[in-house]
């Protein structure tokens, strides 16, 4: 196994300064994500990612970075796991509170502090399956009116549960494409 780009611990990746919220209203040219799917498909689409993540996390080179400053498949999987946990909490807040403001969350900082590349891929796979099942159940329990409930990101970006779901699904699809390369 080539370990040339396998850091002992997670180190910062190449900074990505793009505003990815564009995927709420338009397709992603990098991964092909298309927004605007029916709300009823959100849970199914999240669940459909689990077997693909399981396959990624079973690879022997899962902790190898393709380049020194590009996340390994393991780091992408850990990031998506954290996104799922953070966004599940945000949907729960939006469902139960009037227009909550979310605490800032820095995915790159979380990767370094959480030492993503040193995590056990089997544990990440299990945790991801559990977190995704919880998120899917949350979406399945929403009535149609709940999809329009708002929340604010710390920078003032307004989301509804529906637009947060789009943003979230893009994270899953985009990073699966990154990890499966």
């Amino acid at each position: 196994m080539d370990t040339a780009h396998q850091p002992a611990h997670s180190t910062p990746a190449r900074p990505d300064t793009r505003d990815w919220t564009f995927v709420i209203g338009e397709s992603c040219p990098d991964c092909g994500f298309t927004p605007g799917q029916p709300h009823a498909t959100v849970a199914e689409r999240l669940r459909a990612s689990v077997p693909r993540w399981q396959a990624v996390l079973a690879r022997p080179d899962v902790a190898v970075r393709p380049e020194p400053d590009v996340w390994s498949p393991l780091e992408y999987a850990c990031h998506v796991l954290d996104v799922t946990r953070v966004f599940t909490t945000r949907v729960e807040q939006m469902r139960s509170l009037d227009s909550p403001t979310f605490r800032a969350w820095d995915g790159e900082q979380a990767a370094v502090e959480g030492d993503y590349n040193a995590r056990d891929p089997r544990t990440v796979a299990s945790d991801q399956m559990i977190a995704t099942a919880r998120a899917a159940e949350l979406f399945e329990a929403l009535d149609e009116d709940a999809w329009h409930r708002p929340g604010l990101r710390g920078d003032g970006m307004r989301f509804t549960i529906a637009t947060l779901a789009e943003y979230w699904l893009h994270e899953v699809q985009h990073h699966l494409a990154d990890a499966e390369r």
Side-chain angles (χ1 to χ4, degrees):
M1 173 172 55
D2 175 17
T3 59
H5 301 303
Q6 188 173 6
H9 298 284
S10 293
T11 57
R14 184 178 308 141
D16 184 354
T17 58
R18 289 180 280 189
D19 179 0
W20 286 99
T21 57
F22 77 87
V23 299
I24 292 169
E26 60 187 82
S27 296
C28 177
D30 297 335
C31 73
F33 175 82
T34 304
Q37 302 298 313
H39 300 152
T41 67
V42 170
E44 173 188 326
R45 291 165 69 195
L46 284 172
R47 283 190 183 107
S49 72
V50 172
R52 291 175 63 193
W53 280 115
Q54 302 289 309
V56 164
L57 289 162
R59 290 180 12 200
D61 65 343
V62 70
V64 177
R65 286 182 165 190
E67 296 177 39
D69 60 350
V70 174
W71 279 347
S72 70
L74 177 57
E75 288 169 299
Y76 281 120
C78 290
H79 173 70
V80 169
L81 172 59
D82 277 355
V83 164
T84 297
R85 289 173 170 162
V86 168
F87 284 21
T88 296
T89 299
R90 290 180 178 185
V91 170
E92 289 170 338
Q93 290 172 327
M94 293 165 80
R95 189 176 71 170
S96 62
L97 302 172
D98 290 330
S99 204
T101 299
F102 310 126
R103 290 186 344 192
W105 183 71
D106 181 332
E108 186 62 45
Q109 181 181 354
V112 173
E113 290 176 2
D115 202 7
Y116 285 178
N117 222 34
R119 289 195 185 167
D120 176 5
R122 292 176 305 262
T123 302
V124 174
S126 175
D127 290 350
Q128 193 169 62
M129 188 169 47
I130 292 165
T132 300
R134 179 175 173 226
E137 289 168 4
L138 176 62
F139 282 115
E140 288 172 335
L142 295 175
D143 61 37
E144 189 56 36
D145 289 341
W147 289 91
H148 305 288
R149 292 188 57 83
L152 295 172
R153 199 166 62 180
D155 65 359
M157 174 69 183
R158 183 183 184 277
F159 286 93
T160 63
I161 290 177
T163 58
L164 187 64
E166 296 279 11
Y167 189 65
W168 183 350
L169 285 166
H170 172 260
E171 284 281 308
V172 172
Q173 180 175 319
H174 194 98
H175 292 316
L176 258 171
D178 291 331
E180 291 174 335
R181 286 192 182 107

